[in-house]
């Protein structure tokens, strides 16, 4: 049972890293400064960063040790979330990107 859970966790982390890479590309295509760095070829950790405005930075870290979302403005930490709450905040960022891509209807 524990081997199966460990493998599911590794797959979850890999999927999350792949989605972070795709999100960074999508944000760059929309004109934001974004990056996603991974360590090694196994996709078991990543550092995702995006600058939403002057001095407004989002940093999302994922590894086997945990998942964190940190939002900073003017080099001060505004919010730090971990685990599921961090992933929910990442989803909010992705939703904003989707809304910006949808043309307004009159």
């Amino acid at each position: 049972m524990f081997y199966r859970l460990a493998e599911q966790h590794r797959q979850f982390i890999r999927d999350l890293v792949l989605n972070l890479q795709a999100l960074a590309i999508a944000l760059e295509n929309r004109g934001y400064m974004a990056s996603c760095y991974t360590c090694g070829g196994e996709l078991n950790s990543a550092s995702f960063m995006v600058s939403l405005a002057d001095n407004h930075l989002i940093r999302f870290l994922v590894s086997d040790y945990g998942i964190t979302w940190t939002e900073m403005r003017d080099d001060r930490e505004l919010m730090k979330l971990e685990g599921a709450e961090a992933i929910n905040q990442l989803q909010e960022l992705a939703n904003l990107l989707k809304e910006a891509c949808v043309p307004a209807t009159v």
Side-chain angles (χ1 to χ4, degrees):
M1 173 177 83
F2 294 109
Y3 291 122
R4 179 181 54 82
L5 290 173
E7 183 53 37
Q8 286 176 344
H9 179 74
R10 280 190 283 280
Q11 184 59 46
F12 167 74
I13 296 296
R14 278 188 293 256
D15 289 348
L16 185 53
V17 169
L18 288 171
N19 282 290
L20 286 171
Q21 290 173 328
L23 182 58
I25 291 168
L27 286 164
E28 284 181 328
N29 290 340
R30 300 289 296 163
Y32 293 96
M33 291 183 62
S35 64
C36 183
Y37 297 101
T38 61
C39 299
E42 296 181 24
L43 301 178
N44 57 7
S45 64
S47 172
F48 168 88
M49 296 179 83
V50 61
S51 177
L52 297 178
D54 287 341
N55 298 318
H56 188 190
L57 181 69
I58 303 294
R59 182 178 61 211
F60 189 88
L61 302 173
V62 59
S63 73
D64 279 340
Y65 301 109
I67 297 167
T68 60
W69 164 285
T70 306
E71 187 168 350
M72 296 176 294
R73 189 177 297 250
D74 297 322
D75 295 325
R76 294 182 185 196
E77 190 174 293
L78 298 175
M79 175 173 42
K80 185 169 188 170
L81 302 171
E82 296 179 348
E85 287 136 357
I87 295 171
N88 285 337
Q89 197 65 29
L90 188 64
Q91 182 62 54
E92 290 296 319
L93 178 63
N95 289 345
L96 288 174
L97 180 65
K98 284 181 197 176
E99 290 172 12
C101 292
V102 176
T105 57
V106 179

